[in-house]
Structures are given as structure tokens and as C-alpha cells.
Amino acid sequence: MILCITHSQDTYTIDLVQQRLQQLGYSAFRFNSDEFGTRFRLRYRLTPEGPQYQLQCGNQVIDARDIQGVWYRKLWALQVPPSLDPAYVPAFLKEYQTSLNIFLDALDVPWINRLDLDHAVGGNKLLQLSAAQATGLHVPQTLFSNHAEDAIRFYDDHQGEVVVKLHGALSKTMDGRGDFFPTTRLRKEDVPMLESLSACPMILQEYIPKDRELRIVYIDGDFYTGSLHAPELTDWRAGNTTLIQWEAFELPTHIEEKIDEMMRLLGLQFGAIDMILQPDGEYVFLEVNPQGEWGMLEKYLGFPIAATIAEKLVNRITSES
């Protein structure tokens, strides 16, 4: 069995990966992480043979010992039963989150991506930029600060050619839904608002002029790249995603080699990488999202991303067995 970790609202990509896993001869259990406290019964025991970790969903029992591999797509906030007294909600969330972590920690099998590395990289953009720089990729000058004086000096040093963005997890799905704070060009009239950074630290980066924005899906050495010709957009996700026209794009070999080196340095088998192709032909690395969206590239460009994820995971399972 292969465990596919996602959430109840996930569609399309999860189905495609599960279908390919089944074609390869592996049963695939869809584990909606947000429903862990409402639909699953847990049973952890210490037996004479060692610890046993079991989950039950309906009539199906999932034993940690039967899981051969994990595709870590998304981990979502736990649902709370609507009938639960609000006074008990903190305990509910704490104990169920601990119970979920115990089960996932017991899975000593191949993962794409390993949960601890996925979270470490996804939660530290400075680490990402440092790894990209170490492998020879061009990166923008960057400041992460909660101090207005630092931010204003950075703005002045770059003659006002600066963008701001959050470090964390406000996001947008492939169909444009969800709370979202896009990468935004900092205007002169916005500078006084930098005094509020103490309430919410932000990332400031030099503005990079673009010919194309690139979304690069990396899967254990394979690359699938879509491009957008949208020089007027600071962040393509802020546009009308239903009107955006993705085009297939082939990265130069030397850029692929540097990205591959960076991903191996970070310990990731999968990542959705954002880069800019400048008008002068320079490639600039922005970030890697270990759980980034890629369904639009499969849907609109026909890239076999789901099949490649399934095949790469199965290859890891068979090579380590």
C-alpha cells in the first residue's frame, strides 16, 4: 500500500497519481489529513513484537507496517466536530495533532517528500536562496525584516525597485480560489506603511525585470516547465488564472543541472520552482515550494507529472526493498 497524504478538498492531481499507482500494481490509500480527528479511529499498541500503529476508516484498517511508500501532497488543518464544546477544542487539536505525528513518524519508508525536510525547506526561504546561490544560480538581493528602518534603507538602496511578499502560507489553488497575498511591487506611497512591519515581518527583494515567468516542476531529476509571457504582472497568481496561457518551455541544460544540485542539497525529490527569465537572457531563482501546484501544467500542457511522481516513488520503493 502507498499512502497519499492530502485533504478533503483536493481534486484532480490526487486522482491522477492514485490512478497511475494502481496501474503500476500498488493500492493507494487517500489519507485526507484534515479528517483525521473526525473520520479515523486510531489504535496504537505496544505488543511483544514491538509497537503497532493502526488507523481505521470505515471498514478499512491501515497498518503502518503495510505501507510501502508515502506521497506527501498536502497536510491540512484538522477539522473540528461542530458539536464539540469550544472549551475542548484546544485539547482536541493538540492531542489529535500529536497522534497524527506519531503515526507519520512511524513510516520509515520512501517518501516524496520526506515530511521533516519538506517542512524545513518550505518554511525557510533564506535556506532556499542560500542553496540556490551555493549551486551557482542567480538569486535576487533579499531582506527579511520586521524593522522599518532596514526596509526603507533597502528600498532606497535599490532606487525603489523592490517587491514585498509574505514568507508563509497564504496560497492560491490552480483555479484561483483561496486566501492570497501576492508578491507586490512596493510603491513610493506605500513606504510609510513599512512602520507596521513590527506586526508582520515580510520579505523585500529587488525587483527583477522579466521576459517570462517559469514554473518548473522537479521530480527526482526530471523537469517539466511551463512559462508565462506576462511582463506586466508582478505575480502571475494575482492575474485571472482562467485567462493565463501557459506555454511549454525547455530549460537550458546548465540551469537544469544547477537546479538538480540544489534540490539534492535540500534533500527534496519534488518541488515547484519559480524562476524569472529576464529580457537579457539571465535566469533568476525565486523560490521552491515543496508542495507547489502543478495541475495546471498537466491539464493545459499535457505534461505527465502525476505519472512521473508515481513512477519515481515506485522506483524508490523497489530500489530500497
Side-chain angles (χ1 to χ4, degrees):
M1 176 190 292
I2 292 178
L3 189 70
C4 298
I5 302 174
T6 185
H7 59 92
S8 58
Q9 302 305 306
D10 196 12
T11 58
Y12 185 65
T13 54
I14 178 73
D15 300 327
L16 293 176
V17 172
Q18 284 192 279
Q19 290 167 15
R20 183 55 181 151
L21 287 171
Q22 290 161 0
Q23 291 170 358
L24 293 169
Y26 287 80
S27 62
F29 181 80
R30 173 176 177 152
F31 178 49
N32 290 332
S33 54
D34 54 327
E35 298 177 337
F36 180 67
T38 55
R39 291 192 59 204
F40 287 82
R41 176 179 177 181
L42 60 94
R43 188 183 299 114
Y44 306 160
R45 300 172 178 168
L46 184 61
T47 72
E49 292 77 32
Q52 180 188 68
Y53 305 92
Q54 289 182 330
L55 302 179
Q56 184 171 345
C57 184
N59 295 323
Q60 185 168 7
V61 175
I62 302 99
D63 193 307
R65 295 172 298 187
D66 297 331
I67 295 173
Q68 299 167 275
V70 180
W71 175 42
Y72 177 28
R73 159 77 172 148
K74 297 280 187 183
L75 199 62
W76 221 245
L78 294 169
Q79 295 178 7
V80 176
S83 59
L84 186 64
D85 188 322
Y88 293 101
V89 169
F92 173 93
L93 293 173
K94 181 176 181 296
E95 295 306 312
Y96 267 107
Q97 190 62 58
T98 297
S99 301
L100 176 58
N101 292 340
I102 289 171
F103 184 81
L104 297 179
D105 287 346
L107 304 179
D108 186 19
V109 294
W111 286 61
I112 295 182
N113 291 306
R114 223 178 75 186
L115 187 143
D116 58 336
L117 293 174
D118 187 293
H119 289 186
V121 174
N124 191 337
K125 286 187 169 57
L126 198 60
L127 174 66
Q128 300 175 18
L129 291 165
S130 177
Q133 186 178 61
T135 58
L137 289 168
H138 183 69
V139 300
Q141 294 188 45
T142 302
L143 172 70
F144 183 28
S145 179
N146 69 339
H147 197 276
E149 185 178 328
D150 289 342
I152 293 170
R153 185 182 301 114
F154 188 87
Y155 178 86
D156 290 340
D157 287 346
H158 292 88
Q159 292 77 50
E161 296 294 311
V162 171
V163 298
V164 294
K165 59 185 178 181
L166 291 176
H167 194 285
L170 294 183
S171 62
K172 203 174 196 179
T173 59
M174 61 180 278
D175 62 1
R177 291 181 289 111
D179 295 329
F180 182 55
F181 183 90
T183 300
T184 302
R185 192 88 173 263
L186 191 63
R187 301 170 304 172
K188 189 175 181 64
E189 55 265 36
D190 298 327
V191 172
M193 297 177 62
L194 294 173
E195 296 292 343
S196 64
L197 280 179
S198 59
C200 181
M202 296 188 77
I203 295 174
L204 289 84
Q205 286 184 325
E206 63 172 317
Y207 173 74
I208 305 296
K210 68 186 70 170
D211 178 59
R212 290 188 173 271
E213 288 199 55
L214 306 178
R215 170 54 62 101
I216 303 158
V217 176
Y218 172 93
I219 315 168
D220 209 10
D222 285 1
F223 293 83
Y224 300 98
T225 302
S227 79
L228 294 173
H229 183 62
E232 71 285 355
L233 292 177
T234 303
D235 188 325
W236 64 265
R237 297 167 298 174
N240 187 334
T241 54
T242 62
L243 299 179
I244 286 174
Q245 298 294 313
W246 288 98
E247 299 177 20
F249 188 88
E250 187 170 343
L251 288 171
T253 300
H254 72 282
I255 297 296
E256 288 188 348
E257 289 173 347
K258 290 175 180 177
I259 292 174
D260 184 64
E261 184 181 354
M262 177 195 71
M263 295 295 282
R264 294 182 190 279
L265 183 62
L266 294 170
L268 299 179
Q269 283 78 49
F270 175 89
I273 296 155
D274 289 329
M275 295 188 75
I276 286 174
L277 174 60
Q278 294 185 269
D280 64 2
E282 180 76 58
Y283 289 81
V284 182
F285 171 88
L286 298 180
E287 63 181 285
V288 53
N289 186 340
Q291 299 174 21
E293 295 297 333
W294 48 268
M296 64 285 192
L297 300 186
E298 175 129 2
K299 182 176 182 179
Y300 299 122
L301 299 180
F303 290 155
I305 297 171
T308 303
I309 290 171
E311 291 159 10
K312 292 285 187 175
L313 183 54
V314 167
N315 288 344
R316 285 185 169 266
I317 292 169
T318 55
S319 66
E320 295 182 23
S321 62

